[in-house]
Each structure stands twice: as C-alpha cells, then as structure tokens.
Amino acid sequence: MVKLKDVYPLYLNNKAEQPNTDLEVTDKFTGEVAFRCAQADAKTIDAGIQGAVEAAEPMARMASYERQAVLQHCVDRFKKRFDELAYALCVEAGKPIKDSEGEVTRLIDTFRIAAEESVRMTGEVQPLDISPRAKGYQGIWKRVPIGPCSLISPFNFPLNLAAHKIAPAIAVGCPFVMKPASRTPLGALIMGEVLAETDLPKGAFSILPAHREGADLFTEDERLKLLSFTGSPGVGWDLKAKAGKKKVVLELGGNAAVIIDRDADLADALERTIFGAFYQSGQSCIGVQRILIHADVYDRFRDMLVAKTKTLVAGDPKDRNVFIGPMISEGEAKRLDSWIQEAVGKGATLLCGGKREGAMLEATLLENVDPATKINVEEAFGPVAFLIKFSSFDEALDIVNDSKFGLQAGIFTRDLFQMFDAWDRLDVGGVVINDVPSYRVDNMPYGGVKDSGLGREGVRFAMEDMTEIRNLVIRRT
C-alpha cells in the first residue's frame, strides 16, 4: 500500500531544503490536507536563479552521453517508483487512478525520448559561395544551450507537463528553476528527489513551489533567458508582457472541436469522443468541448452520446472503476456550473448531467448553445461539451475556426480529400484524423496558434526552443 509522507522539501540548487511547511496540499476528493511541502520565498527563488546562472557554463560543457545518463537514471527510477508517482498524482490532482498510471507511463516515455534525443543534437555544414564575393567561404552551424530557463507547469498534468520542460532542458544542457502548480507540486518534487541522486553540476536545477503572487522573479528576472509556461491564456499572455527580453514559450489551451462527418464509424467515434470530452473530468487543454455532427447522423449520434455519458462512473478517483473524479477545486466547479446555467438560461438544452456537489460536477452535454455564451467562447476546462449540427464539411471547418483559440482539432472522416482540406484550412496547431483533438504522443510537435500560445512542445521541438544557433564562418582562400 502506497503511503505519502506528511512533509516534503523543496529543491534549491540540487539539494533538498525544508525552510518551512507552509504549503498545504489537499486530497482533491476528500478536501482534507494530504501533505505539506516547503514554499519558496523571493530570497529562495533569487538564490535558485543565481545558482542556475553559475551552472550555465558547466551544464553546457557536459558531454551528450553524460546528459543522457542523467535522463536514463530518471527513467529507471521512475519505473521503480511507478506506484508512488501514480498514487501521489491521484491524491493531489484528483485524477482517477487508471489515468494517473497512464500519466506516469507518459512521464517515463518523455524522459526516455529526451535521453535518446540528447545525443542527436546536430548542426549543418552550409556552402556560402552563392555569389563571387563569397567564393572560398564555408559555414558551419550548431545548436548551443540558451542558458538559464524558467519553467512553470500547471495542475492538470503535473507529471508529464513538468517532464516536457525538465527533460528537454537537461537534454540540451540548460540549468533551470521550476515553479510547479501550488495545488499539485508533489510530482515535480519527486522528480527533484530523483535528479538530486545524479551528478548534475551544482545549480543545475531548483524546484520551488510558490504562490503566483510571490513568484514574479520566475517571469521578470533578466538573468533568465527563456520562460516556458503552460497554463491559462489570461495568465500566460500577462506573463509574456512582463517577461522582458527573454524568449517565451506558451502552451495555453483552447476550446477544442471534433467533427463527426456523415461517413464516420459512429461506434468508434462515440468511444473516442466520450474519452476526449470527459477524461480526467475534462481538465485538459485539448479536451473536446465542441462536438460538430453532420445533420445526416446528428440525431443518432446525439442519442448514443447521451446514453453513454449517463453510464460514466463518478466518485473517489482511488476507485479503479471511477472515470469522473473531482475538478481541481470547488471554486472551479462552481465557475463551470455557472457557465452551464448561463447557457441554459439563454436557450441551450441540457441533454444530461448538470448537477454539482462540491468539486464534483456531472458529465454534462448541451445542445442549441448560444454562440455568445462563455461555454462556447471560452475554455471550459471541465466535464462539459456541447453539440452543433452542420450540413457541409466547409461549414464545419468554418465553425471550428470561429474561435479565438487554435490548439488541436479532431475529425472523423474516411474522405482523403477532406482530410487534406482540413489540414490546409484549419487554423490550429494540430489536426487529428479519426480521433479526438485530445490525442497526443510525447515526441510530436505540440502547441497552438492564436490565443492558444507560442512555440511547440514535444521533446525535440522543446529542445530547439531551448537552444540558439551559433554560426561559424571559415575563409579558406
């Protein structure tokens, strides 16, 4: 039986420190305090940044096989601590235990991919003699670490989204300071415990839980060369405005759509759409929020969706039969409940769900939603989706694009031409065919356009963001 500790340290310049036990972290299902951990103040954050500055040169000098060895050590240790990591995630995030185990698997995958990529950092030989004045000149470029990085991770995937920042930073040789979400810091702290077992240079990493209002240095400090943030759009764009000259990478979510065309395999589309809309209580930036259904199959698919949604088991996420756990807080559940009531008040039909008790919100489906309501315009980030009927594929693409967000879209179709048409026309970071927009593999380029963010995650692509090109020009005559 896995048991969590009562108290956890923070990690400052590679070492565990316990300056206080100020941060209380609750079990998201019971609401009781599950454990306490140290909370960083401005002085501690400043020390972490200074440590990263001092570690920049020795980190850059590490051989690629040495960086790979650190990442492989993490892979091995995470495998041995699999049950602990999954249980911790289930408790601190309220994520059903089966989904928590799935995220630990992805954590391991992400570090494994980074270990592989750490020895593939290549450059290019470039001929420069494109005109008579450059005859006899040759160029060579390589990628070098950008320097100290600030990493801010969210509550909904506290293991794997932290991994998508930490693992690429180590792979390229960038020291970092990380601020995990204060509601779910334990996954990142366990990563810190594992990293502390390695021979990384002093100052290579600091993992510092801190409340948002006390963590301005993560964004504003000029010693940091890159800010990588995953979270809400409002917070992300505000941080970018304060970040100064440093490079900024933002992954900010959206209100993802899935298209069910007339030729779709409806049974398959049903299973995947239910997953996409309600997996981990809909708290995913690529969770299905808008379900577009062709008029020819609308009634049939709507009835299938409603019937299946009503069978979803909700309750204690530690129960292996539970599919719907609590939202991250009662406040977030109240917010989304109010959005549902707004939509119904403006003419939407409540097909199923809609009831809330504390942080538990039923899996909810709506139709006839007013386009001006929050549930259509904003990111729901909870177990709510709504249905839209369309008559032509062109119309469906226009509806998907009618959003300030553009992260991913899913399309169930067997038409090859429509697939390429969607890939050309949809203003999103990724198009997923015959699956939901919620699908992601950890080596693929992942990110959005418009209000959904800047840059791409996915290990190799994050590594590119964490490096700069350094050119060498040689005159040979």
Side-chain angles (χ1 to χ4, degrees):
M1 177 66 179
V2 177
K3 181 173 172 53
L4 301 181
K5 300 175 186 176
D6 293 328
V7 174
Y8 289 87
L10 54 75
Y11 286 84
L12 175 62
N13 296 327
N14 306 32
K15 292 185 178 180
E17 294 196 5
Q18 194 76 59
N20 56 61
T21 56
D22 290 350
L23 184 58
E24 293 184 344
V25 181
T26 60
D27 179 315
K28 298 307 182 291
F29 180 71
T30 67
E32 298 175 352
V33 175
F35 58 88
R36 291 174 170 82
C37 68
Q39 182 170 285
D41 58 15
K43 182 178 179 181
T44 304
I45 298 169
D46 178 78
I49 295 172
Q50 184 57 36
V53 171
E54 294 172 5
E57 185 178 347
M59 280 286 285
R61 286 202 308 264
M62 287 183 71
S64 58
Y65 80 88
E66 293 173 320
R67 298 194 298 271
Q68 184 181 52
V70 170
L71 293 161
Q72 188 58 52
H73 172 82
C74 292
V75 170
D76 297 339
R77 294 290 288 136
F78 295 155
K79 287 179 179 178
K80 291 180 180 178
R81 300 180 69 170
F82 187 99
D83 291 342
E84 177 191 0
L85 285 160
Y87 183 74
L89 178 57
C90 180
V91 170
E92 70 171 351
K95 185 173 294 196
I97 188 64
K98 289 182 180 179
D99 296 336
S100 296
E101 290 169 348
E103 186 171 341
V104 178
T105 299
R106 291 185 61 191
L107 162 72
I108 293 167
D109 281 348
T110 300
F111 270 82
R112 176 178 55 80
I113 295 163
E116 294 166 355
E117 293 292 343
S118 65
V119 294
R120 297 175 184 161
M121 287 267 292
T122 59
E124 188 173 311
V125 175
Q126 183 180 27
L128 298 179
D129 51 354
I130 60 171
S131 66
R133 75 176 188 87
K135 184 177 181 180
Y137 286 81
Q138 185 176 16
I140 309 173
W141 61 262
K142 65 178 179 177
R143 288 193 171 273
V144 298
I146 198 169
C149 295
S150 174
L151 313 177
I152 303 178
S153 60
F155 72 79
N156 60 324
F157 285 88
L159 289 176
N160 198 42
L161 293 186
H164 270 283
K165 301 179 188 301
I166 291 173
I170 295 171
V172 301
C174 284
F176 65 87
V177 290
M178 163 161 275
K179 178 192 172 304
S182 57
R183 289 168 169 167
T184 56
L186 184 50
L189 293 174
I190 293 175
M191 291 185 223
E193 184 179 342
V194 170
L195 287 172
E197 299 167 351
T198 71
D199 294 326
L200 284 170
K202 180 181 178 182
F205 72 93
S206 293
I207 298 177
L208 307 172
H211 282 301
R212 185 185 303 168
E213 55 271 17
D216 289 343
L217 288 173
F218 280 101
T219 303
E220 299 174 9
D221 197 292
E222 294 182 356
R223 292 170 292 179
L224 297 165
K225 303 304 179 185
L226 175 140
L227 168 64
S228 177
F229 171 85
T230 302
S232 70
V235 174
W237 292 114
D238 181 61
L239 295 183
K240 181 179 181 295
K242 297 176 180 178
K245 297 177 181 178
K246 65 178 65 62
K247 188 175 184 179
V248 177
V249 178
L250 302 175
E251 198 282 279
L252 304 177
N255 56 2
V258 62
I259 297 173
I260 314 297
D261 206 5
R262 71 172 92 189
D263 64 350
D265 179 336
L266 295 188
D268 177 59
L270 172 68
E271 295 299 322
R272 297 306 296 159
T273 301
I274 289 290
F275 168 84
F278 302 123
Y279 163 71
Q280 69 170 55
S281 299
Q283 295 175 119
S284 169
C285 49
I286 42 177
V288 172
Q289 188 167 329
R290 298 179 290 157
I291 305 173
L292 283 64
I293 309 167
H294 194 282
D296 289 355
V297 296
Y298 182 88
D299 290 346
R300 180 184 171 197
F301 195 67
R302 176 195 59 199
D303 294 346
M304 293 167 66
L305 273 173
V306 171
K308 182 68 174 179
T309 300
K310 288 180 177 179
T311 68
L312 300 178
V313 178
D316 187 341
K318 302 175 196 70
D319 183 338
R320 300 193 73 83
N321 295 314
V322 163
F323 187 78
I324 301 283
M327 292 184 65
I328 192 65
S329 69
E330 184 174 359
E332 284 299 296
K334 286 180 177 179
R335 170 193 60 79
L336 192 49
D337 187 21
S338 73
W339 288 16
I340 295 169
Q341 302 311 316
E342 178 202 24
V344 171
K346 292 187 176 181
T349 301
L350 182 64
L351 297 173
C352 63
K355 295 179 182 178
R356 181 189 66 82
E357 183 176 345
M360 295 291 298
L361 182 64
E362 288 183 337
T364 302
L365 290 173
L366 301 161
E367 66 178 352
N368 303 318
V369 168
D370 186 324
T373 55
K374 290 186 178 71
I375 203 71
N376 177 65
V377 174
E378 304 295 341
E379 180 179 36
F381 219 69
V384 180
F386 64 93
L387 284 55
I388 304 171
K389 184 186 295 187
F390 70 90
S391 298
S392 71
F393 195 70
D394 284 346
E395 178 191 4
L397 298 184
D398 289 341
I399 292 170
V400 174
N401 279 338
D402 186 18
S403 171
K404 62 184 178 181
F405 298 111
L407 190 44
Q408 293 200 150
I411 304 172
F412 285 86
T413 181
R414 300 178 185 181
D415 188 317
L416 182 67
F417 294 97
Q418 288 188 166
M419 177 185 76
F420 281 104
D421 193 27
W423 192 29
D424 288 341
R425 291 176 53 193
L426 287 179
D427 196 9
V428 295
V431 177
V432 184
I433 301 298
N434 291 324
D435 211 334
V436 287
S438 322
Y439 187 75
R440 178 181 180 185
V441 181
D442 295 297
N443 63 341
M444 75 185 203
Y446 173 79
V449 298
K450 299 191 282 189
D451 278 10
S452 288
L454 297 169
R456 293 293 179 268
E457 291 187 340
V459 174
R460 180 164 66 90
F461 307 93
M463 289 169 65
E464 290 178 3
D465 278 331
M466 292 176 175
T467 55
E468 296 173 320
I469 290 176
R470 183 174 295 166
N471 197 30
L472 175 68
V473 176
I474 306 165
R475 184 183 180 211
R476 301 183 66 178
T477 57

